[in-house]
Amino acid sequence: MAWDEWEQLKNQAAHKQSARMQLNQLPADGGGGSTPQGDLTVDQKDLAAIGDRAFKLWEDLGRYGRDAWSSSQTAASDLKTQGFTLGGAVDRVQSRWEEQLTSLLDACAHISNHMDFTKKAHQGDEYYIGGQVSSISTLDKGFDGGKGH
């Protein structure tokens, strides 16, 4: 292989590597769109709304889902007592219903609790950052006052 060929291949590889690394990057001007750049932001009202909806769903599922479970449990018991084999099938459906309902209730509780935790964590972060920024501005005032010294 000639030296010129080697240099050409190296340049091509470097060019391809450079282009490949920029695929997941917006142009420096922001891409010309109006979409803001930066970190994901969360509004406290959004967190509260999600947590409230999850809690409401948890309440309703607990109330109405348990009613359906109780009714099917009674029906299964009555059918079995009367000698119907259908009672065993209803009992199996009722058992599966209980498993699924419990899983869904746990998920709703987890979402609700997590949103409450996240909301409190962000409030704590805001308080901390506000304290840090105010102490920096106080420090800046001290330096501004000492210009003549």
Side-chain angles (χ1 to χ4, degrees):
M1 179 182 299
W3 185 255
D4 291 336
E5 263 185 305
W6 174 247
E7 289 298 320
Q8 183 181 5
L9 290 172
K10 282 185 358 184
N11 287 337
Q12 287 174 353
H15 180 68
K16 286 180 183 177
Q17 182 68 21
S18 168
R20 190 175 323 133
M21 293 178 70
Q22 294 178 8
L23 289 177
N24 293 330
Q25 181 179 3
L26 288 174
D29 67 355
S34 62
T35 305
Q37 291 182 343
D39 293 332
L40 174 66
T41 58
V42 178
D43 186 279
Q44 295 297 333
K45 287 179 7 182
D46 294 336
L47 293 175
I50 293 168
D52 289 345
R53 296 256 174 121
F55 181 74
K56 176 84 169 105
L57 182 57
W58 178 83
E59 282 184 321
D60 289 347
L61 281 171
R63 182 179 318 125
Y64 302 119
R66 298 270 185 223
D67 288 348
W69 173 79
S70 178
S71 298
S72 63
Q73 188 177 32
T74 303
S77 178
D78 288 348
L79 288 168
K80 282 190 214 176
T81 302
Q82 296 173 25
F84 290 99
T85 55
L86 182 59
V90 172
D91 191 37
R92 170 110 170 82
V93 169
Q94 178 273 330
S95 176
R96 188 74 175 134
W97 174 266
E98 177 63 19
E99 291 171 14
Q100 295 299 314
L101 180 63
T102 300
S103 177
L104 193 51
L105 285 168
D106 289 348
C108 289
H110 179 75
I111 291 168
S112 178
N113 292 340
H114 185 70
M115 290 299 106
D116 288 343
F117 171 81
T118 302
K119 183 175 148 185
K120 289 175 185 169
H122 282 292
Q123 286 173 342
D125 291 344
E126 289 295 323
Y127 179 76
Y128 174 78
I129 291 168
Q132 294 299 316
V133 169
S134 68
S135 66
I136 291 170
S137 62
T138 302
L139 184 61
D140 284 346
K141 287 179 186 175
F143 282 113
D144 289 343
K147 286 184 180 178
H149 300 266

